[in-house]
Amino acid sequence: MDGVDDPYTTLGVAKTASQDEIRRAYRKLAKKHHPDLNPGDTKAEDHFKKISAANGLLSDADKRGRFDRGEIDAGGQERAAQPSYREHAQGDSGRRYSRAEAPGQGWDGQDFSDIFGTMFSQGRRSGADHRARGDDERYSLTTSFLDAVNGATRRLTLPDGRTLDVKIPAGAVDGVVMRLKGQGGRGLNDGPAGDAMIEIHVAPHPFFERLGQDIRLVLPVTLSEAVLGAAVEVRTPRGKVSMRIPAGSDSGTELRLRGRGVPSTKNQEAGDLYATLRIFVGPPDPALADFLRTWSPETPVDPRRFMEDTP
């Protein structure tokens, strides 16, 4: 399919798949093939790019519809309209191959003398002396979550073989359009070139989620870290930092790292990173099981008490 894998096949979903099914399929594949989870594995990195591009197309209802109708290809590029013989043959009787006009008149109802008179009177002005600006051309580029947060430069290969280096600003959001002046269609008779309009699509991350300028993630912790407290290493969009977990923390406890969200820009302050704790017990531990059978807390609690008081 135009040198690009079919997005439905790439994600392993049917063409009738719902948006939830597409989202679940992407997240499952992203967790398996994400470059950060497969360091040095170029095959996994290439596959991750493919599933990100497929998700970028199918998660957009408008683009998915246009792809299904054959208006754009699997890479999100416009398909050239190709009129078929049937479109000509099924036209109105007497108008299949030309328009019937009154004698002495042209296709638009003008007298032929008027048409040729206009052509000859304009002369060279309608030829080499006429300059026109080239058309703007639209393309799409799927980038990783971290590149959109931190900013990056990515190379886009166009259908004609040209390459464009697209500078993605830090804090870019999904759907933002970058304008590259003079990189669009060629002008007529040395007229200025049009612009290239690059629509940025941000691929989801396996465990980061962006809400405005803030970043959120679920942070697994061990039972001992939650009960006794500990300093743990937490990954942020700009590297790992140490965070202190208070003793006696429950699952669902939310901790904040100031300034570790989306970086600051001219118009926005840096966001924060919020880590929601989730206690991870792990495989069965006989010693822990024996301890819990004989252990009696000084202050018993009922974690489901709130469910009884709710109507």
Side-chain angles (χ1 to χ4, degrees):
M1 183 172 292
D2 301 315
V4 181
D5 293 341
D6 179 81
Y8 292 102
T9 303
T10 299
L11 294 183
V13 297
K15 290 190 175 183
T16 56
S18 66
Q19 287 299 320
D20 284 340
E21 290 172 327
I22 290 172
R23 188 180 301 108
R24 286 196 298 270
Y26 170 75
R27 290 188 178 276
K28 181 179 179 180
L29 291 171
K31 290 180 180 180
K32 179 179 179 182
H33 298 286
H34 197 282
D36 294 334
L37 304 178
N38 299 273
D41 188 340
T42 56
K43 187 175 181 180
E45 183 177 356
D46 290 342
H47 196 62
F48 179 75
K49 291 179 180 178
K50 290 181 180 180
I51 61 178
S52 296
N55 180 71
L57 189 148
L58 296 183
S59 61
D60 185 310
D62 179 63
K63 287 189 175 182
R64 181 182 180 183
R66 296 187 65 201
F67 171 77
D68 290 343
R69 293 190 297 271
E71 297 173 6
I72 59 175
D73 61 22
Q77 306 302 324
E78 297 283 347
R79 291 182 184 272
Q82 299 294 334
S84 65
Y85 166 79
R86 182 179 296 273
E87 291 175 336
H88 291 286
Q90 291 182 345
D92 293 339
S93 177
R95 295 174 179 264
R96 293 179 181 176
Y97 301 103
S98 65
R99 289 184 58 186
E101 303 292 348
Q105 288 191 337
W107 294 306
D108 59 356
Q110 287 184 285
D111 189 278
F112 279 118
S113 61
D114 292 339
I115 296 176
F116 290 117
T118 302
M119 290 173 60
F120 288 116
S121 66
Q122 288 181 341
R124 294 179 182 176
R125 185 178 58 180
S126 63
D129 292 338
H130 180 68
R131 300 171 71 249
R133 180 180 181 275
D135 294 332
D136 290 341
E137 297 177 343
R138 298 187 69 89
Y139 304 98
S140 62
L141 175 64
T142 299
T143 188
S144 71
F145 181 93
L146 294 181
D147 283 348
V149 169
N150 297 321
T153 299
R154 288 290 172 262
R155 178 158 292 181
L156 176 65
T157 301
L158 305 184
D160 61 5
R162 288 186 299 143
T163 59
L164 296 179
D165 287 332
V166 183
K167 186 176 182 180
I168 302 170
V173 297
D174 187 80
V176 67
V177 177
M178 313 296 300
R179 178 187 292 270
L180 300 185
K181 291 187 175 294
Q183 298 297 328
R186 291 182 179 180
L188 177 66
N189 294 327
D190 294 326
D195 299 336
M197 314 294 288
I198 316 296
E199 185 174 355
I200 305 299
H201 293 283
V202 182
H205 194 273
F207 49 84
F208 286 134
E209 182 180 4
R210 178 175 176 177
L211 293 175
Q213 289 293 97
D214 297 329
I215 302 291
R216 294 181 177 272
L217 81 155
V218 174
L219 181 66
V221 294
T222 66
L223 181 61
S224 61
E225 289 169 340
V227 173
L228 304 177
V232 300
E233 204 172 53
V234 179
R235 184 175 168 189
T236 76
R238 296 190 300 284
K240 296 179 179 178
V241 299
S242 179
M243 183 177 71
R244 184 72 191 178
I245 298 176
S249 294
D250 279 330
S251 280
T253 298
E254 189 174 77
L255 304 177
R256 179 171 65 172
L257 291 172
R258 292 182 180 274
R260 290 291 177 172
V262 179
S264 61
T265 63
K266 292 182 180 179
N267 303 319
Q268 294 277 0
E269 295 183 355
D272 300 329
L273 185 141
Y274 291 87
T276 301
L277 303 185
R278 182 178 66 188
I279 297 176
F280 181 76
V281 177
D285 185 333
L288 176 60
D290 290 341
F291 168 75
L292 291 176
R293 288 190 189 96
T294 59
W295 173 65
S296 238
E298 293 182 4
T299 309
V301 295
D302 181 358
R304 293 170 293 279
R305 174 66 182 274
F306 76 95
M307 300 176 73
E308 298 176 0
D309 297 335
T310 301

